[in-house]
Amino acid sequence: MRTPSFLQRVREARRVVVLTGAGVSAESGVPTFRGTDGLWRHHRAEDLATPEAFARDPRLVWEWYEWRRRLIATRRPNPAHEAIADLEARVQEFLLITQNVDGLHRQAGSRRLVELHGSLWRVRCLAEGTVTENLEVPLPSLPPYCACGALVRPDVVWFGEALPPGAIRQAYDAAESCDVMLVVGTSALVQPAAALPMIGKAHGAYVVEVNLEPTPLSAFADECHHGKAGEVLPQLLGSLMRPRSLTHNP
Ligand code: OAD
C-alpha cells in the first residue's frame, strides 16, 4: 500500500491545526528573532519585552514597538500566509495557532486563528485592562495614553508573563484533537508553543514540519520539509490552493 501524501492526509483529516512562527513572515521582509539577523541578535529582550522594562522606560519600549509597527505596515502577506488561508477555507475543523504578532495571517484572510503572543495592532490600557485595535502608523505621540489618562501598552505577551488563558486552552484542545498538524517557521524553542506539536503527536496527529533548517521538533515530526515556507507550502498544498495567477498587468 502506498503511503498517503500530505495532501491526501489533509483531505481525509477531520481536524487540521497549523502552528506558525516568525519564519512564516520572513519572506515578507519581517525579521525573525533568532536567525543570524534576528531581532534578539541586536536587542536585549530584557530591555524591550518585559513588564519591568516597560515600567522602567515606557517610551523606549514603545519606540521599539513603533519601529516594528512601521516596518510591518509596509509588508504584505507572502505565499506561505496565503497557502495557510487557503487551507482554512478547505477544512471544516481548522485552527491556526500563531506566535506572530504582525497581523499578516489576518491580512492574508485567515479567520480561525489564535494569536498566542498577542498582536502589535492592539493596545491595552494599564488601568482599565481594556483592549482596543490600533492601526495608527505612526502613533501621534510616544508613549500613547488611554482616554482615561493611563498609559497603554502593546497587547503582546512579554517575557515573564503568562499567555492569555483562553488562547492557550484553545491551542491545547486543538492540538489534542487534530489529525494533522503543520508546523511552519518556528525554532520550536519557546514554551508553551513548542510543546503543542508534541501534544499533537502524543494524541495521534500526523506532524509535518516546514522550516529552513532542522529544529528540536524535527526528530519527532512525521515529515520534515526544509526550505522556504513561501515555496514549500504552495507545493505541499498544490491543488488546495486558490489560483492567484489569473490577474496580470495590461
Ligand atoms: P524564531 O526566530 O525563534 O525562529 C524562526 C524560525 O523560522 C527558525 O527556525 C528559522 O529556521 C525559520 N525560518 C526562517 N525563515 C524561514 C522561511 N523563509 N521559511 C521557513 N522557515 C523559516 O521565531 P519563533 O519560533 O517564532 O516571542 O520564536 C518564538 C517566539 O520567540 C516569538 O513569538 C517571540 C520570540 O521571543 C515573544 O516575543 C514572546
Side-chain angles (χ1 to χ4, degrees), residues 21-23 26-27 32-34 40 99-100 117 157 159 185-188 190 211-213 215 227-229:
E27 288 153 77
T32 61
F33 292 93
R34 296 179 179 78
W40 297 148
Q99 300 164 81
N100 299 347
H117 294 166
V157 176
F159 289 94
T186 177
S187 57
V190 176
N211 199 303
L212 277 185
E213 53 191 40
T215 73
K228 291 183 175 181

Side-chain angles (χ1 to χ4, degrees), residues 75-245:
R75 303 300 192 235
R76 294 288 164 264
N78 67 57
H81 298 106
E82 288 167 359
I84 293 167
D86 286 359
L87 178 60
E88 172 179 338
R90 300 297 185 114
V91 177
Q92 251 191 5
E93 291 190 50
F94 177 93
L95 188 68
L96 166 59
I97 305 165
T98 187
Q99 300 164 81
N100 299 347
V101 295
D102 57 31
L104 291 177
H105 280 303
R106 278 185 198 280
Q107 223 179 301
S110 290
R111 290 297 171 264
R112 287 178 272 168
L113 81 166
V114 174
E115 292 169 319
L116 270 189
H117 294 166
S119 169
L120 280 180
W121 304 108
R122 294 192 304 260
V123 297
R124 191 185 334 145
C125 170
L126 282 194
E128 300 166 328
T130 40
V131 174
T132 44
E133 186 178 65
N134 181 308
L135 307 176
E136 255 183 302
V137 175
L139 284 163
S141 63
L142 294 180
Y145 287 88
C146 177
C148 78
L151 266 175
V152 297
R153 57 166 280 179
D155 188 35
V156 298
V157 176
W158 282 328
F159 289 94
E161 291 186 320
L163 270 62
I168 192 64
R169 187 67 262 155
Q170 212 185 336
Y172 278 134
D173 287 349
E176 285 170 8
S177 61
C178 67
D179 309 299
V180 172
M181 186 184 288
L182 178 60
V183 184
V184 187
T186 177
S187 57
L189 291 171
V190 176
Q191 296 295 353
L196 293 169
M198 311 301 178
I199 292 171
K201 179 106 178 126
H203 285 79
Y206 189 79
V207 177
V208 177
E209 180 181 57
V210 175
N211 199 303
L212 277 185
E213 53 191 40
T215 73
L217 169 65
S218 306
F220 300 90
D222 295 291
E223 271 180 43
C224 293
H225 298 266
H226 296 307
K228 291 183 175 181
E231 293 169 8
V232 174
L233 284 184
Q235 274 166 22
L236 268 183
L237 294 171
S239 57
L240 289 185
M241 300 253 326
R242 282 181 282 219
R244 283 192 174 71
S245 53

